[in-house]
Amino acid sequence: MLEIETERKKLQEHLDSLKSQRERNVMGQFSTPYPLAEDIMRYLKSLVGTEETSLFEPSIGTGVFYSAFADTFGIGSKALGIEIDSHYYAPSSDLWRNYPLEIRHEDFFTARPDRQFPLIVANPPYVRHHHIGKELKQRLQALSLQRTGVIMSGLSGLYCYFLILSEVWLQPGGISCWLIPSEFMDVNYGKALKQYLLENVDLIRIHRFQADDLQFSDALVSSCVVVFRKAEPNRETEIVFSLGGSLCKPTRSKHIKRDEIHAAQKWTGLFDDEFQEETCTDILGNYFTVKRGIVTGGNDFFIVDQSTIDKYGIDKLFLRPILPSPRYISGNVVEEVKGGMPDTEQQCFLFSCNLQENILKKSYPGTWEYICHGISQGVPKGYVCSRRTPWYSCEDRLPASIVVPYMGRSGTGNRMFRFILNKSKALTTNVYLLLYPKPQYEKLLSDQDVLLQVWKALNTIPPDRIARGGRFYGGGLRKMEPNELMSIPAGELNNLLRGPSYGVQLSISGV
Ligand SMILES: C[S@@+](CC[C@H](N)C(=O)[O-])C[C@H]1O[C@@H](n2cnc3c(N)ncnc32)[C@H](O)[C@@H]1O
């Protein structure tokens, strides 16, 4: 490590501390830990060889990559960095004044290259699309199309444009290396980026970090490193998909032929060799239909507790038990207490009513008063309520015996994507996915012993396998849609339910 690195790290921490979390979010200002920058540089050195090289960093911050570069490759020929924010630009320029590093105080998207570089390494700002102004978005989309022929989705984060538009700064044959969120590999907007990596350049490697790679902060858990060469895609060589550990020492690696990969498929499943996603037919959807819980149109109004019920005198005809948010459910079993209520600390009810106003006014004045309270709060004007008649009537749903929080985060006390056995009559809102047995298994699963075994088996499905079927977001967050959960390989249920015909036979024979 260079001596100056200690000074740079201190400077980074000081500058970060002067900004709020929100400011840093909007500008995508989260710096790379030095050990990671060093790991990346060591890997790149093994790729580039010993020849002298020079570095371009399009969003340099305080220059952590340059620091690791100079230590790994030697000071070398003149490097260049761009930084838009004077808060980082000025102290950073001062820090590196005695090194052959030029830092330009510019916006990467308007800066023009006066030369091309053999090496680009970047941790671009992870600014989400809703923080990118409309005009800038349109300009970046037009530029991407014009320079690379790629049509970028309007939902793309700023980092996608950084990667695609850096091409003009890279020498032919040069290496480009990007520390970016993994989510592009799974979400729809990422398709254009995947297409670019497969068709416009020679993709060499993607390394994905894992939750237990403790050397990295949580914000980087769902990041990956993408490495490619500015060259025609090489159909002879294979792309390396490595997972966990570090770039220099991954936990495991897979080599996959370029022709076997498509931009339309999810790529996070490619890192594992536990199973072949495309060919697995023993999936959870064979046994269960998965639906999202109720979209109320305003939980503040439609989810009520006893004090609100008492305050307005809401009639119990219009109340159904409902599970509280998953964060209030510590174990994986919800017992039933009296009246079908769940034995949770928070006792909540769903308010839903489909009677006409005149009947309510006359026969249920307390309930009507509560509806008037909702009107005064503007609830009927919301997107969901304004499309419903009457606006205070929620969808009808049956309680499900097995429910799954639709969002998961690694590293929390609870298992990510846990299957909760709901013994109560409580419904759920859309923060849960609900598992309803397919008709041929309904009878079998109405037996509490079978249900218990199936629930236990579901909780033995490795969380990683489930997470792979969903979507990766920043900060280690994963989300799951009903159809994604139904596509999860679930061989664990096979022994218990013994294939689709078993349930049918049992139902027919009346067992
Ligand atoms: C994720 S940080 C990375 C900083 C540094 N490269 C590192 O890895 O620690 C991204 C940096 O890009 C800067 N940035 C944001 N938008 C930019 C733009 N349009 N042009 C140049 N720099 C930009 C931010 O101010 C921030 O310093």
Side-chain angles (χ1 to χ4, degrees):
M1 188 168 88
L2 298 181
E3 260 179 44
I4 196 172
E5 173 53 27
T6 317
E7 216 182 311
R8 187 209 62 81
K9 188 164 178 274
K10 255 194 226 154
L11 178 68
Q12 180 79 49
E13 284 163 2
H14 172 65
L15 294 174
D16 287 349
S17 72
L18 299 176
K19 290 205 163 209
S20 68
Q21 187 77 9
R22 189 183 145 68
E23 279 173 313
R24 289 173 59 204
N25 259 333
V26 171
M27 295 281 285
Q29 291 169 326
F30 292 91
S31 84
T32 312
Y34 183 80
L36 174 52
E38 192 180 43
D39 179 41
I40 289 175
M41 287 303 167
R42 285 191 184 154
Y43 163 69
L44 291 173
K45 176 128 191 198
S46 70
L47 206 63
V48 171
T50 48
E51 58 192 89
E52 191 180 297
T53 185
S54 69
L55 174 73
F56 173 58
E57 243 204 280
S59 53
I60 192 165
T62 61
V64 65
F65 284 127
Y66 179 73
S67 177
F69 168 83
D71 187 46
T72 312
F73 287 85
I75 306 283
S77 26
K78 196 163 181 188
L80 175 68
I82 297 183
E83 175 53 54
I84 198 169
D85 187 353
S86 54
H87 180 75
Y88 291 97
Y89 161 75
S92 187
S93 300
D94 189 42
L95 177 78
W96 294 107
R97 65 191 176 281
N98 295 324
Y99 284 75
L101 165 65
E102 179 196 354
I103 303 183
R104 279 162 56 175
H105 185 201
E106 269 184 274
D107 177 351
F108 169 70
F109 295 117
T110 49
R112 285 172 184 275
D114 50 10
R115 66 201 145 118
Q116 290 185 316
F117 291 81
L119 184 63
I120 295 181
V121 183
N123 170 4
Y126 296 6
V127 178
R128 294 196 174 275
H129 78 95
H130 41 262
H131 288 306
I132 310 175
K134 195 172 159 204
E135 267 175 38
L136 176 61
K137 206 183 267 185
Q138 284 171 350
R139 185 159 61 79
L140 297 181
Q141 282 177 308
L143 261 182
S144 306
L145 181 63
Q146 180 199 333
R147 288 196 197 160
T148 65
V150 174
I151 300 171
M152 298 294 283
S153 151
L155 303 180
S156 310
L158 202 63
Y159 73 90
C160 300
Y161 298 105
F162 260 85
L163 190 151
I164 284 189
L165 295 173
S166 65
E167 198 176 288
V168 286
W169 297 81
L170 191 61
Q171 277 175 9
I175 300 278
S176 207
C177 174
W178 294 78
L179 176 62
I180 55 176
S182 297
E183 76 183 36
F184 85 90
M185 291 193 266
D186 290 347
V187 296
N188 290 339
Y189 79 70
K191 193 174 160 201
L193 192 51
K194 289 188 274 185
Q195 188 194 329
Y196 174 82
L197 293 172
L198 287 178
E199 292 168 17
N200 291 45
V201 294
D202 188 26
L203 180 58
I204 297 172
R205 178 174 176 187
I206 304 184
H207 178 84
R208 237 183 75 202
F209 299 107
Q210 276 188 312
D212 34 3
D213 303 335
L214 292 175
Q215 68 266 43
F216 308 130
S217 69
D218 188 44
L220 290 167
V221 163
S222 50
S223 300
C224 65
V225 174
V226 177
V227 185
F228 60 88
R229 195 185 297 278
K230 182 169 169 177
E232 286 290 306
N234 184 342
R235 309 257 161 227
E236 303 306 312
T237 56
E238 294 174 324
I239 302 164
V240 180
F241 288 83
S242 57
L243 180 72
S246 65
L247 262 99
C248 292
K249 260 195 189 167
T251 310
R252 54 175 178 255
S253 290
K254 260 176 90 178
H255 292 64
I256 306 180
K257 290 204 180 90
R258 180 170 277 89
D259 293 344
E260 290 173 6
I261 305 169
H262 313 283
Q265 82 194 98
K266 286 186 176 181
W267 283 11
T268 50
L270 297 173
F271 291 78
D272 240 285
D273 41 22
E274 189 199 332
F275 68 98
Q276 282 296 321
E277 220 172 333
E278 283 80 21
T279 56
C280 183
T281 52
D282 199 359
I283 54 174
L284 192 137
N286 291 344
Y287 309 104
F288 291 96
T289 300
V290 179
K291 291 189 176 162
R292 206 179 255 291
I294 296 168
V295 179
T296 62
N299 288 351
D300 286 350
F301 175 77
F302 288 101
I303 309 296
V304 293
D305 60 10
Q306 196 58 48
S307 67
T308 308
I309 296 167
D310 294 343
K311 180 174 167 194
Y312 290 90
I314 302 171
D315 197 281
K316 64 174 185 303
L317 262 182
F318 313 119
L319 298 169
R320 313 261 315 262
I322 196 151
L323 287 184
S325 151
R327 66 175 178 276
Y328 298 112
I329 297 182
S330 49
N332 286 349
V333 182
V334 174
E335 297 287 347
E336 184 181 37
V337 288
K338 80 175 172 20
M341 287 300 287
D343 72 338
T344 46
E345 211 170 294
Q346 280 206 346
Q347 297 269 290
C348 306
F349 296 84
L350 172 77
F351 171 70
S352 176
C353 164
N354 53 16
L355 296 184
Q356 299 300 319
E357 284 183 24
N358 52 347
I359 304 176
L360 287 167
K361 278 182 199 163
K362 193 163 153 228
S363 310
Y364 303 98
T367 306
W368 175 243
E369 196 192 329
Y370 186 61
I371 290 172
C372 292
H373 164 69
I375 296 170
S376 73
Q377 299 297 303
V379 183
K381 292 191 187 131
Y383 181 85
V384 173
C385 294
S386 62
R387 285 164 176 74
R388 222 161 49 187
T389 315
W391 67 266
Y392 43 80
S393 157
C394 294
E395 318 163 59
D396 224 0
R397 274 288 154 80
L398 289 172
S401 300
I402 300 178
V403 301
V404 181
Y406 94 107
M407 232 163 42
R409 205 182 279 278
S410 52
T412 62
N414 281 321
R415 181 192 133 105
M416 183 169 54
F417 295 121
R418 57 202 167 116
F419 293 84
I420 299 173
L421 185 63
N422 175 25
K423 294 185 175 179
S424 75
K425 300 282 179 304
L427 302 170
T428 77
T429 63
N430 58 344
V431 294
Y432 291 92
L433 301 177
L434 314 179
L435 272 64
Y436 294 104
K438 292 264 175 172
Q440 64 268 38
Y441 296 111
E442 266 172 18
K443 190 161 174 127
L444 188 59
L445 283 161
S446 65
D447 178 324
Q448 292 307 299
D449 289 338
V450 178
L451 179 67
L452 198 68
Q453 287 184 46
V454 166
W455 162 73
K456 281 185 184 160
L458 285 168
N459 276 316
T460 64
I461 298 178
D464 263 8
R465 190 197 306 164
I466 304 178
R468 255 195 322 270
R471 291 136 195 263
F472 285 69
Y473 289 83
L477 181 70
R478 270 92 160 156
K479 290 184 188 168
M480 179 79 60
E481 295 293 335
N483 59 348
E484 291 169 339
L485 188 57
M486 284 174 73
S487 307
I488 299 295
E492 286 77 359
L493 302 186
N494 192 285
N495 277 344
L496 295 166
L497 300 170
R498 286 198 226 142
S501 59
Y502 185 60
V504 176
Q505 281 165 13
L506 285 173
S507 323
I508 292 169
S509 62
V511 179

